[in-house]
Amino acid sequence: MLNAVTRITDGTTDVQEQYIKEIDSRYEIAQSVTVHTTARPRVQGKFLFIGDEKFYIKGVTYGSFKPDSQGIDYPSSSIVRTDFALMSSKGVNCVRTYTVPPLWLLDLAEEAGLYVMVGLPGTQHVTFLDSDALQSGIEQEVRVGVRACAGHRAVLGFAVANEIPASIVRWHGQRAIERFIKRLYHAVKEEDPNALVTYVNFPTTAYLQLPFLDFACFNVYLESKEKLQDYLAHLQNLTGDRPLVMGEVGLDSLRNGLEGQSETLKWQISTIYDSGCAGLFVFSWTDEWHREGYDVKDWDFGLTTRRRRAKPALKVVRKTWRKVPFSKDIQWPRISVIVCTYNGARTIRDCFEHLQQLDYPNFEVIVVNDGSTDATPQIAKEYDVYLISLPNGGLSNARNVGLHAASGEIVVYIDDDAYPDPQWLKYLAHVFLTTDHVAVGGPNIPPADDGPIAECVANAPGGPLHVLISDTEAEHIPGCNIAFRSSALHAIGGFDPQFRSAGDDVDVCWRLTERGWTIGFHPAAVVWHHRRNSVKAYWRQQFGYGRAEAMLEQKWPEKYNALGHVRWQGRLYGRGFLRPLLGGRGRIYHGKWNSAPFQSIYQPATGGIGQLFQIPEWYMVSATMGMLAFIGILWAPLTLFSVPFLLSLLPLVAQAVSGAGHASFWRKNRRWQLYSLTAVLHFMQPIARLCGRLRHGLTPWRRHGVPELKFPRPRLVSIWSESWLPTEGWLTMLESFLKGHGAIVLAGGDFETWDIEVRGGLLGGVRTQLAVEEHGQGKQLLKFRIWPTIAVQPVVAFLCLLATWVYAVVKNELTGASILVLGASLLVTWIFKDCARAEASLSQSVEAGRTRTQSHYCGLP
């Protein structure tokens, strides 16, 4: 049992001192509380479950009310019993309180079939981190509140605080507030280990990173359906794999009228559930509202009046809740679910069992057995599926066979080691019905019970991640959970058969977007995807991914930068991806004088140095220097390479440790072992990719463009044209000529001063900028400014060689110094050749453009 709070008067205000006294008195009362134990609601992915049933929160807020003479800030038990009975009859299943309720109120909630989300209002609106005594007092009050309710059957969970003001967060700093909320979270778990815990946030502090919470909760008041849709999508991406609950939504009927309140609540509720939220609380049950010593009478947010007379909004809310999560009147399209499998007997039964439980009226399941040698086809015959068996031809071929057999206007792919959420197809189909997207995907979440190694793999790089351009539009969706309009997939010829085990999903997404089509994303279209449960299996998987990555780079060279990294336009979402060791920290948009009502983080783009240590080829560089340093045992001059070897190895280890530090685990014991294995997986994953890529050629020794070389130098080229084209047209023509010569062409982004970059290799290339002079009557003078460009990595390498050379000279190691000079010379030669090859490609393409312009002018074909 905890001791009473020790007072520290230094720096503690009178208000804070009085607050601590109140906590002490509550603490004494809580000593004799009996702890009840029973089953609780639990979190499973993006939703809450009670037993095996998904539980959508259909809640109302209750209070705050004026305290009575005994200090109880709730109405009498008879009024509460009447309120709860009316709530239950109107479809309410949850109540949110802002203070800790007495046990009799929880008993009445259980009697009415209601759950209660208990508010623990510890932080108040003061700079609570300025006083150690106040911090301890807040934690103590949280513990007191939890002990008063611990284990009660009616408790849905605890909210450790509500809307810490943005000014307070800004005063203490984001990290300090996050740490304190985590401290309160652990306090709740120590008092009631099985309780769900959340913090009720709001838009002005949406940037707080609180991944430890069981579910995310936000108070959001938006009176535009489109803005609410957009913001909910943003919150879903911030929330990740956890449920998102709206802690308060509503509208004031005093200012907007009873009809306005009803109509707004109708679309607010339907929009919230359509977006994949786990539920909401309408603010509030009654217009009766007491705050900070005053009855609030100039706002009427209640579904009932102060005398508990129902408003029209209550009827509308009840009717809308009956349609959760979707209306029964929707005409759902025909869907073909395709499961491609090769020796998937270990997990495919789980997949089939959950497919049979799908809540969707019109779908078929097609199983393509790609030459399995285990019991997969026998298992499939036990279920109501259409089984197609064929000789092993690879994943893409199997996907295409399923596509041609499908009868649905939508085809959905799921892996044999994954299983879906019951409403999976409805969320996917809903996006197709409400947008023009030709493909739609959703998250894939690792199950919590796959074992410790699988849990570490889930936190390791190389997993199936989705890449989002915006909160609702994707650049890439993993193939384990992706749906297509059948007509669009047929239009591009299906999947490319050269991708036998991986890379097919990336390729098909790029081919769709190349046609100007878009790919959607719905955060509630969840599948549970088993991760590899052994280090050996993980190595084989990443080896295959490396091979597919090399094949993708050969087919889509313009999608990769000089380091061999994919140039994603969007942002990666999910656990375990490699974070640049030297990546910049995000900046929080607060607005002038902290006035912004909606705040967010702006993350600067990662530079070349930040990505340098992520590429598999860096391991080759490190290994080469290590081998030279080892040979130095026999030949002393080569021991100079021991310094750069250690310097090259240090960031790899640091990045692995940093990656493991971002891991999150379900299990609470042996965590140091989990973090250690995760760090090892972070270190070995690029090595596995490197081995896979060796088969198809590494980025550094690939050569693109014409075989000729031309001395690279800054220059200006002018072309006269009497046939008018817009600037974009000329650049598109130049880009076409360059690709015709086999060159890798990169288009300048939104913040670049150059228009086109031609890459000659890993270390160098050329860039060009176009200016168009208009001379009337369709005549134009095109001016191309051309200059060579050198990647930052060889510059860093050259400086390292130079520093080592200086060290060798000082130590009088002239032989070693000569070797370093030779290495630097080879590096400079490599840079020159890359730039010269790119210069030749660009020169030929510019001349081709000049010839075409003159031919057109002379009337030649």
Side-chain angles (χ1 to χ4, degrees):
M1 193 67 65
L2 296 173
N3 296 324
V5 177
T6 303
R7 282 168 176 69
I8 301 177
T9 56
D10 293 342
T12 305
T13 65
D14 293 338
V15 174
Q16 294 170 342
E17 191 70 24
Q18 179 62 32
Y19 179 60
I20 294 170
K21 290 180 180 178
E22 294 175 3
I23 294 171
D24 276 343
S25 63
R26 296 186 190 184
Y27 177 78
E28 297 298 331
I29 295 174
Q31 301 303 303
S32 59
V33 173
T34 302
V35 178
H36 305 277
T37 57
T38 187
R40 293 290 188 85
R42 60 186 174 85
V43 169
Q44 184 173 320
K46 296 290 294 181
F47 295 99
L48 300 177
F49 282 76
I50 296 179
D52 294 328
E53 295 294 324
K54 185 180 289 186
F55 181 73
Y56 288 96
I57 294 176
K58 306 171 186 177
V60 295
T61 65
Y62 198 59
S64 299
F65 299 102
K66 184 178 181 179
D68 61 15
S69 58
Q70 297 179 343
I72 299 176
D73 48 1
Y74 288 95
S76 66
S77 60
S78 60
I79 294 177
V80 172
R81 176 178 281 110
T82 302
D83 283 344
F84 284 1
L86 182 58
M87 289 179 191
S88 182
S89 68
K90 298 302 182 182
V92 176
N93 61 17
C94 288
V95 177
R96 178 189 170 192
T97 67
Y98 294 90
T99 56
V100 178
L103 281 176
W104 59 260
L105 187 145
L106 295 177
D107 292 337
L108 291 177
E110 182 183 2
E111 179 183 301
L114 303 175
Y115 285 93
V116 180
M117 188 170 88
V118 178
L120 305 170
T123 56
Q124 302 298 320
H125 289 190
V126 296
T127 55
F128 51 89
L129 295 186
D130 287 344
S131 166
D132 291 338
L134 189 54
Q135 293 179 55
S136 299
I138 292 171
E139 179 183 345
Q140 192 63 65
E141 184 180 29
V142 165
R143 291 181 181 274
V144 168
V146 175
R147 285 191 56 79
C149 308
H152 197 286
R153 295 180 183 89
V155 173
L156 175 74
F158 294 95
V160 294
N162 178 68
E163 292 189 358
I164 300 176
S167 60
I168 301 297
V169 176
R170 192 163 175 251
W171 176 265
H172 292 305
Q174 173 189 355
R175 301 287 180 255
I177 295 294
E178 291 167 355
R179 287 193 296 269
F180 188 72
I181 294 176
K182 190 171 186 178
R183 174 180 172 181
L184 299 183
Y185 165 85
H186 285 300
V188 175
K189 291 294 187 179
E190 288 174 9
E191 298 294 337
D192 193 354
N194 296 321
L196 298 181
V197 184
T198 189
Y199 160 70
V200 184
N201 209 339
F202 65 146
T204 45
T205 55
Y207 53 82
L208 288 173
Q209 298 179 24
L210 308 168
F212 48 85
L213 296 174
D214 294 308
F215 63 93
C217 194
F218 277 82
N219 298 336
V220 178
Y221 292 88
L222 286 172
E223 299 178 18
S224 164
K225 184 176 182 179
E226 292 73 22
K227 290 182 178 179
L228 180 60
Q229 286 175 330
D230 292 342
Y231 194 63
L232 288 173
H234 176 67
L235 291 181
Q236 287 282 20
N237 290 325
L238 290 180
T239 303
D241 293 347
R242 295 169 299 145
L244 174 62
V245 175
M246 292 295 102
E248 290 178 9
V249 295
L251 192 71
D252 175 23
S253 65
L254 183 64
R255 291 168 177 78
N256 298 279
L258 296 176
E259 186 66 25
Q261 182 191 37
S262 299
E263 289 301 313
T264 299
L265 277 171
K266 181 179 180 180
W267 62 254
Q268 282 181 336
I269 293 173
S270 60
T271 300
I272 288 168
Y273 287 112
D274 287 349
S275 71
C277 289
L280 61 88
F281 292 91
V282 175
F283 184 86
S284 61
W285 171 247
T286 172
D287 288 339
E288 182 183 355
W289 189 23
H290 184 86
R291 185 176 182 182
E292 297 179 356
Y294 296 93
D295 290 329
V296 179
K297 297 184 178 181
D298 58 345
W299 278 358
D300 290 343
F301 277 84
L303 297 176
T304 65
T305 66
R306 290 170 179 80
R307 296 186 177 183
R308 303 307 194 272
R309 293 181 179 177
K311 296 182 183 179
L314 181 57
K315 182 179 180 180
V316 170
V317 167
R318 179 190 184 189
K319 185 177 180 180
T320 306
W321 269 332
R322 287 177 177 174
K323 301 177 181 179
V324 171
F326 294 104
S327 171
K328 296 181 180 179
D329 301 329
I330 298 177
Q331 297 296 316
W332 297 104
R334 172 77 168 171
I335 291 181
S336 297
V337 179
I338 301 173
V339 184
C340 300
T341 179
Y342 173 71
N343 290 342
R346 185 179 64 87
T347 57
I348 201 169
R349 187 182 295 278
D350 205 17
C351 177
F352 290 156
E353 290 289 342
H354 285 82
L355 287 175
Q356 286 192 327
Q357 300 171 20
L358 284 174
D359 176 21
Y360 195 81
N362 186 17
F363 75 100
E364 64 176 348
V365 178
I366 299 172
V367 180
V368 183
N369 172 35
D370 188 30
S372 297
T373 58
D374 61 3
T376 296
Q378 288 74 28
I379 295 174
K381 291 177 182 178
E382 301 175 17
Y383 296 88
D384 183 19
V385 300
Y386 175 40
L387 176 63
I388 303 174
S389 293
L390 63 154
N392 182 260
L395 178 58
S396 290
N397 180 68
R399 290 190 191 277
N400 288 335
V401 170
L403 170 64
H404 291 298
S407 63
E409 58 189 280
I410 296 172
V411 291
V412 182
Y413 291 91
I414 184 172
D415 284 358
D416 60 3
D417 58 353
Y419 59 89
D421 177 85
Q423 281 74 43
W424 172 53
L425 292 183
K426 282 189 175 180
Y427 283 113
L428 291 174
H430 176 70
V431 180
F432 284 116
L433 291 174
T434 56
T435 70
D436 295 327
H437 296 311
V438 298
V440 178
N444 63 95
I445 303 174
D449 55 354
D450 274 357
I453 295 179
E455 196 168 355
C456 292
V457 169
N459 286 283
L465 306 177
H466 51 276
V467 183
L468 300 187
I469 300 173
S470 67
D471 290 317
T472 56
E473 185 177 338
E475 182 180 2
H476 165 247
I477 297 294
C480 59
N481 181 14
I482 190 168
F484 302 90
R485 297 187 192 273
S486 178
S487 57
L489 195 53
H490 277 292
I492 64 171
F495 293 84
D496 188 341
Q498 71 169 307
F499 298 102
R500 293 182 55 89
S501 60
D504 55 303
D505 47 4
V506 178
D507 174 71
V508 78
C509 288
W510 284 344
R511 285 193 285 138
L512 290 172
T513 55
E514 188 181 39
R515 292 200 173 199
W517 294 333
T518 58
I519 302 171
F521 178 81
H522 199 297
V526 173
V527 302
W528 299 89
H529 189 205
H530 297 285
R531 301 308 195 249
R532 300 300 189 268
N533 60 359
S534 72
V535 175
K536 182 179 179 180
Y538 176 70
W539 173 275
R540 287 200 305 265
Q541 179 195 46
Q542 297 308 309
F543 180 91
Y545 285 175
R547 182 173 54 195
E549 190 175 38
M551 296 166 64
L552 282 168
E553 189 180 1
Q554 285 184 337
K555 184 174 181 179
W556 300 92
E558 69 277 8
K559 296 288 188 179
Y560 288 77
N561 61 20
L563 292 173
H565 262 280
V566 180
R567 300 168 67 241
W568 294 117
Q569 299 177 28
R571 178 181 172 186
L572 280 73
Y573 286 85
R575 287 195 286 172
F577 63 87
L578 281 171
R579 293 170 173 83
L581 187 61
L582 301 178
R585 292 185 62 181
R587 297 185 63 192
I588 300 172
Y589 170 72
H590 294 284
K592 184 178 180 180
W593 297 337
N594 199 39
S595 61
F598 290 80
Q599 301 183 4
S600 57
I601 291 181
Y602 290 82
Q603 188 71 39
T606 304
I609 290 293
Q611 292 183 335
L612 179 61
F613 310 121
Q614 292 183 314
I615 64 171
E617 288 83 353
W618 182 259
Y619 281 71
M620 290 190 67
V621 174
S622 180
T624 301
M625 289 187 289
M627 182 174 61
L628 292 173
F630 180 76
I631 297 174
I633 298 174
L634 303 176
W635 191 35
L638 291 180
T639 56
L640 292 171
F641 284 94
S642 59
V643 175
F645 167 66
L646 293 176
L647 292 177
S648 67
L649 197 61
L650 182 61
L652 301 179
V653 175
Q655 184 163 266
V657 174
S658 174
H662 286 88
S664 57
F665 300 102
W666 291 94
R667 60 193 74 246
K668 304 303 180 184
N669 57 339
R670 301 172 63 186
R671 295 176 67 86
W672 68 270
Q673 295 179 347
L674 298 177
Y675 282 111
S676 299
L677 178 56
T678 303
V680 170
L681 296 178
H682 270 267
F683 187 83
M684 65 176 282
Q685 188 264 352
I687 302 176
R689 283 175 56 207
L690 174 64
C691 295
R693 288 168 66 164
L694 280 170
R695 180 172 179 178
H696 289 272
L698 296 174
T699 297
W701 54 66
R702 288 186 183 167
R703 295 293 177 257
H704 301 272
V706 297
E708 293 85 0
L709 302 178
K710 184 173 181 178
F711 190 86
R713 59 184 177 83
R715 59 196 178 95
L716 183 66
V717 176
S718 298
I719 298 178
W720 177 260
S721 173
E722 298 199 12
S723 58
W724 187 89
L725 276 179
T727 302
E728 295 82 358
W730 291 117
L731 291 171
T732 301
M733 183 187 300
L734 178 61
E735 183 180 41
S736 177
F737 287 146
L738 285 164
K739 289 183 177 180
H741 289 135
I744 298 178
V745 186
L746 308 180
D750 295 333
F751 302 97
E752 309 295 348
T753 58
W754 50 271
D755 297 316
I756 288 178
E757 178 180 338
V758 185
R759 209 171 72 204
L762 173 65
L763 305 185
V766 293
R767 289 176 178 171
T768 182
Q769 182 187 49
L770 173 62
V772 179
E773 295 183 359
E774 303 289 349
H775 289 268
Q777 298 180 345
K779 300 176 182 179
Q780 295 174 305
L781 180 63
L782 314 180
K783 291 186 175 181
F784 291 92
R785 180 181 289 128
I786 300 171
W787 68 96
T789 178
I790 302 173
V792 66
Q793 294 80 17
V795 175
V796 174
F798 183 83
L799 293 176
C800 290
L801 288 172
L802 180 61
T804 310
W805 177 81
V806 171
Y807 175 78
V809 172
V810 171
K811 292 294 184 179
N812 202 28
E813 290 284 354
L814 299 182
T815 304
S818 301
I819 295 174
L820 292 170
V821 169
L822 177 60
S825 301
L826 292 174
L827 180 63
V828 171
T829 303
W830 190 348
I831 295 171
F832 175 82
K833 288 184 65 176
D834 283 353
C835 293
R837 183 174 287 105
E839 176 72 28
S841 296
L842 183 58
S843 296
Q844 289 193 17
S845 298
V846 170
E847 288 305 314
R850 186 197 303 274
T851 301
R852 178 169 178 175
T853 301
Q854 292 173 347
S855 298
H856 184 79
Y857 170 61
C858 297
L860 299 177

